[in-house]
């Protein structure tokens, strides 16, 4: 009788890389929102592309191969988000030619609101992974909602400044927690045991 041999390729967990990419771009971007750095978004573009998008998309592709549903979808969705953000900054800086007078960043605002809706569902799942991921996703909901309101009210400085500040601080907190999560995942995986805690899953939904 013929025997069938099944070959399985085992890939390392790319989560730390993807989370680090998210953490670094939010850290850099929050410095601009909070007024710690000045100037336009030109020098943010390399970090948005390399860390915000490429690192997360690469990690997502590896998670798809590992059948890691949560990591693949979340990192993939936000990797694509940062590609769109980078292209928006390209356009805003005139890299593709003169910007029409009627052009408006309010389209970007609606995109942020749309991502906020999707992030609400991801947040529920994130708390089922660990508490640090849950808090990070909850802050992302705040960030996207605040950024969306800021952009949609660009003609009202008082509202725009208020929600711009909320967006900046939530983005900064995302980066700090993200750095911790990336470091914890890396060390825990490297040593094969818990070095830094990330919090147990909430256990809201019992799996069949």
């Amino acid at each position: 009788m013929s025997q069938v041999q099944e070959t399985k390729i085992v890939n390392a967990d790319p989560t730390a890389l993807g989370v680090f990419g998210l953490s670094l771009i939010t850290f850099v971007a929050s410095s601009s929102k909070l007024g710690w750095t000045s100037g336009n978004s030109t020098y943010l573009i390399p970090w948005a592309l390399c860390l915000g998008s490429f690192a997360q998309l690469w990690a997502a592709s590896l998670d798809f191969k590992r059948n890691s549903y949560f990591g693949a979808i979340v990192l993939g969705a936000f990797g694509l988000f940062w590609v769109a953000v980078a292209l928006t900054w390209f356009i805003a800086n005139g890299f593709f030619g003169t910007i029409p007078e009627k052009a408006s960043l309010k389209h970007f605002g609606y995109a942020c609101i749309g991502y906020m809706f999707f992030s609400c569902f991801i947040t529920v799942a994130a708390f089922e992974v660990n508490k640090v991921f849950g808090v990070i996703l909850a802050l992302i909901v705040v960030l996207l909602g605040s950024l969306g309101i800021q952009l949609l009210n660009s003609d009202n400085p008082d509202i725009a400044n208020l929600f711009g500040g909320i967006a900046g601080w939530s983005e900064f907190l995302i980066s700090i927690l993200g750095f911790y999560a990336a470091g914890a995942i890396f060390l825990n995986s490297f040593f094969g045991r818990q070095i830094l805690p990330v919090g147990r899953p909430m256990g809201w939904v019992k799996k069949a």
Side-chain angles (χ1 to χ4, degrees):
M1 297 178 64
S2 61
Q3 293 182 344
V4 178
Q5 292 184 342
E6 185 176 313
T7 302
K8 184 177 181 180
I9 300 175
V10 179
N11 294 310
D13 186 355
T15 305
L17 174 63
V19 175
F20 173 71
L22 173 67
S23 305
L24 190 60
I25 182 54
T26 52
F27 186 63
V28 175
S30 66
S31 70
S32 178
K33 291 183 180 66
L34 295 173
W36 299 340
T37 54
S38 59
N40 58 30
S41 56
T42 302
Y43 292 109
L44 291 174
I45 294 173
W47 303 103
L49 284 176
C50 294
L51 277 301
S53 60
F54 295 162
Q56 291 195 81
L57 290 174
W58 186 22
S61 68
L62 294 175
D63 269 338
F64 274 114
K65 294 177 181 179
R66 297 175 65 249
N67 197 29
S68 176
Y69 182 74
F70 178 84
I73 299 300
V74 175
L75 294 174
F78 284 104
L80 292 172
F81 174 83
W82 282 106
V83 171
V85 171
L87 289 174
T88 300
W89 287 339
F90 269 122
I91 295 170
N93 284 282
F95 292 171
F96 298 130
T98 306
I99 305 172
E101 293 183 1
K102 295 183 179 180
S104 172
L105 281 174
K106 289 187 177 182
H107 299 92
F108 185 16
Y110 280 107
C112 290
I113 297 297
Y115 256 89
M116 181 197 71
F117 291 148
F118 181 57
S119 297
C120 290
F121 296 102
I122 298 177
T123 301
V124 176
F127 274 109
E128 291 296 303
V129 178
N130 61 62
K131 290 185 176 67
V132 174
F133 276 1
V135 175
I136 289 174
L137 263 297
L139 287 169
I140 287 176
V141 171
V142 176
L143 166 62
L144 292 168
S146 301
L147 189 56
I149 294 173
Q150 179 195 22
L151 292 168
L152 293 174
N153 290 274
S154 55
D155 52 352
N156 189 328
D158 292 334
I159 295 179
N161 291 336
L162 172 62
F163 283 93
I166 295 174
W169 281 110
S170 59
E171 192 168 37
F172 176 73
L173 291 174
I174 289 166
S175 68
I176 298 303
L177 281 175
F179 285 133
Y180 174 82
I185 294 168
F186 173 79
L187 290 177
N188 294 347
S189 298
F190 183 81
F191 288 104
R193 61 188 178 87
Q194 179 176 289
I195 302 298
L196 294 174
V198 291
R200 293 182 178 179
M202 293 293 291
W204 290 336
V205 181
K206 292 183 179 180
K207 296 182 179 180

